Amino acid sequence: MSTAPVIGLDAVTKRFEAVTAVDHVSVDLVEGEFFALLGPSGCGKTTLLRVIAGFEEPDEGKVLLDGRDITQLRPNRRPVNLMFQSYALFPHMTVYNNIAYGLEMENCSKSEIEGRVDEMLAMTQLDALAHRKPDQLSGGQRQRVALARALVKRPRVLLLDEPLGALDKKLRGQMQLELKKLQHDLGITFVVVTHDQEEALVMADRIALMKDGRIEQLGAPEQLYERPGSRFVADFIGVSNFFEGRATGDGVETEAGDVFRGEGGAETGASCAIAVRPERISLSAPDRLEDQNSVSGQISDIAYHGQDINIHVLAAGSKNAVLARISAADDKSRSFSIGQTVWCNWRPEHGRILTN
Ligand code: ADP
Ligand code: MG
């Protein structure tokens, strides 16, 4: 993967009357990367995708292709393909003809069309289904036809709006890996819109987490997960425990008077929170663990999730129960019971101090 930007967005803003759907977004999409636009419904993901594709003209800012301003370039002149949320396959055409359609419109030769369609059929594992019609396919297969149809034109960038939204959970998991492999094999830049944080974490090289038309944080999945820059990020990506309080310099003093050390900084006295991932919390009884942040409380709930056990602890001074996630394979996990008093412990480097 090179680091040359293929598409650049420079302070792009798009308004619909009173709504600012995209608000001064600047980002470079790198050649060959798998990029996820993640965020809650209504945060501007689809609008941003449509701006990149050329279906929406930004009110402010520029869209660049290889550094060249293409803000005014029509969609069909851009080396960019948008795969719609509904796959919009032609129902009366076979899989083969659905895929070939775009090339026929471009007046490619018959032999070139055959070669390229066959290649896409093989890549998306549709060879055996080439002569079926869309209504003779499963949801996952229709999804692959839509992909093949978008990719056969060899765009530099493929934009996918909630591509797996219509599939059930198990199939979605499988298609996530297929999409990722396909992207890797082809080396085409993929931009995938999703509201599913887990999906973004699994598939993407980089994630832009959006909120209210802006990019709240941009980075590799592990960066967003391990070093969230705000409560919104810590909450939207995965699950976090928040301990509210005031900054002391290298930590936070809670209203209950506990002092927790953590990573990141805040001005002394500023209102802030420490965010801790549930899997970073270990439970101990009767003693706390040495050299860790600790808070004690009573176990209020134990929930089995197969591979993990979620243990909720009602600690003094914490608004919500503290959530600790323990591997079910850990023998200690069976030693806890509801009503028991335990310590929740975590190492200082696993607490993120967040001010906003
Ligand atoms: P997302 O894809 O993240 O759910 P959208 O980009 O679809 O969000 O929408 C962002 C905001 O812009 C929403 O408030 C939505 O209602 C508004 N919006 C999107 N498209 C239009 C439109 N064509 N006309 C008016 N408002 C729109
Ligand atoms: Mg959308």
Side-chain angles (χ1 to χ4, degrees), residues 45-46 85 161-162 193:
K45 305 180 296 294
T46 295
Q85 214 159 353
D161 195 350
E162 308 261 0
V193 159

Side-chain angles (χ1 to χ4, degrees), residues 210-270:
M210 292 183 68
K211 182 192 179 195
D212 301 334
R214 291 173 173 266
I215 293 180
E216 177 87 0
Q217 192 171 349
L218 172 68
E222 55 273 29
Q223 255 169 350
L224 269 70
Y225 189 84
E226 300 290 353
R227 293 192 295 286
S230 67
R231 289 179 217 211
F232 176 76
V233 179
D235 206 28
F236 195 88
I237 302 211
V239 176
S240 294
N241 292 291
F242 293 102
F243 298 93
E244 306 283 340
R246 302 228 159 246
T248 60
D250 65 345
V252 172
E253 179 169 4
T254 67
E255 277 165 22
D258 292 309
V259 176
F260 300 138
R261 284 167 300 140
E263 300 268 308
E267 218 170 293
T268 303

Side-chain angles (χ1 to χ4, degrees), residues 87 138-144 164 166-178:
Y87 313 137
S138 70
Q141 290 162 345
R142 277 203 288 272
Q143 157 81 57
R144 290 204 212 108
L164 310 180
L167 309 178
D168 66 47
K169 194 169 169 19
K170 194 151 191 177
L171 189 54
R172 229 165 58 205
Q174 185 190 327
M175 285 303 295
Q176 285 167 5
L177 301 181
E178 278 185 29

Side-chain angles (χ1 to χ4, degrees), residues 24-35:
H24 294 91
V25 166
S26 295
V27 62
D28 285 332
L29 304 177
V30 175
E31 189 92 64
E33 78 173 324
F34 199 126
F35 191 93

Side-chain angles (χ1 to χ4, degrees), residues 299-313:
I299 294 179
S300 61
D301 188 50
I302 299 178
Y304 291 88
H305 289 265
Q307 60 189 24
D308 302 314
I309 297 179
N310 283 348
I311 301 184
H312 296 255
V313 179

